Amino acid sequence: MRAVACFVHGVEAVVRLFGWFAAWTCVVLVGLVAGDVLMRYAFSVGAVWLQELQWHLISPIALFGMSYLLLMGEQVRVDVFYERFPANLQRVIEVIGGLLLLVMGLYIAWLTLPWIAQSFARGEASPNPGGLPLRWLLKSLIPFGFVLLALQGLAHALRQAFALPTRGE
């Protein structure tokens, strides 16, 4: 039981770290967008790489944020029905949902590997003049984000199955 709790807390610590990273990436993104708008409309100066960077920053926000949202209990659920279920049925639903996330996350991560390998082999970069290089590096966040989601799904299922208290309890 102690090993399960340590595993769950370890995964959740990693997810919190990447959630923190995603949150600060949002702050950076807002600053870049505001700066880009100011530069384009006030000074008629713009850069393709800056606009592409804005789009690229959305990836870690979404890919790291989805596991953090699960950790924080903000996942999408039909609460109208769920809140009326008995506590044991709610736990069963949470365990099954966490295990499904584990399987789905690992499967999606596995599906993206050939696509990323192809991008790396081609040395894929932006097709736009002045665009960002190393597009394969951005694409590599996809399997990483889904493995993180899979791990958080497993941690969520274990927390519910073993009725582990959250850090605040």
Side-chain angles (χ1 to χ4, degrees), residues 86-153:
N88 287 340
L89 180 56
Q90 288 178 353
R91 283 183 51 203
V92 168
I93 290 169
E94 295 295 334
V95 169
I96 292 170
L99 294 176
L100 287 173
L101 273 175
L102 170 68
V103 171
M104 182 199 70
L106 292 176
Y107 182 65
I108 291 173
W110 179 74
L111 285 177
T112 62
L113 294 178
W115 181 60
I116 294 161
Q118 181 183 38
S119 180
F120 175 75
R122 290 181 177 172
E124 186 178 1
S126 172
N128 300 318
L132 294 175
L134 305 176
R135 189 163 282 177
W136 62 269
L137 189 59
L138 176 68
K139 288 180 177 182
S140 68
L141 293 178
I142 297 170
F144 184 78
F146 277 97
V147 166
L148 193 63
L149 179 64
L151 287 172
Q152 180 55 44

Side-chain angles (χ1 to χ4, degrees), residues 3-73:
V4 172
C6 286
F7 173 78
V8 168
H9 290 307
V11 168
E12 289 176 348
V14 170
V15 169
R16 281 184 206 282
L17 176 69
F18 282 98
W20 176 86
F21 180 78
W24 279 103
T25 303
C26 287
V27 174
V28 171
L29 179 60
V30 168
L32 285 174
V33 170
D36 185 37
V37 168
L38 178 68
M39 294 300 291
R40 279 191 289 134
Y41 290 105
F43 304 108
S44 297
V45 176
V48 173
W49 67 268
L50 184 59
Q51 291 177 350
E52 286 187 5
L53 182 59
Q54 294 166 19
W55 282 101
H56 288 185
L57 288 179
I58 293 170
S59 296
I61 292 168
L63 291 167
F64 300 156
M66 61 187 178
S67 55
Y68 183 72
L69 289 174
L70 177 61
L71 171 65
M72 301 310 292

Side-chain angles (χ1 to χ4, degrees), residues 77-94:
R77 178 174 45 222
V78 183
D79 285 336
V80 172
F81 301 115
Y82 180 83
E83 65 188 15
R84 296 176 190 200
F85 293 154
N88 287 340
L89 180 56
Q90 288 178 353
R91 283 183 51 203
V92 168
I93 290 169
E94 295 295 334

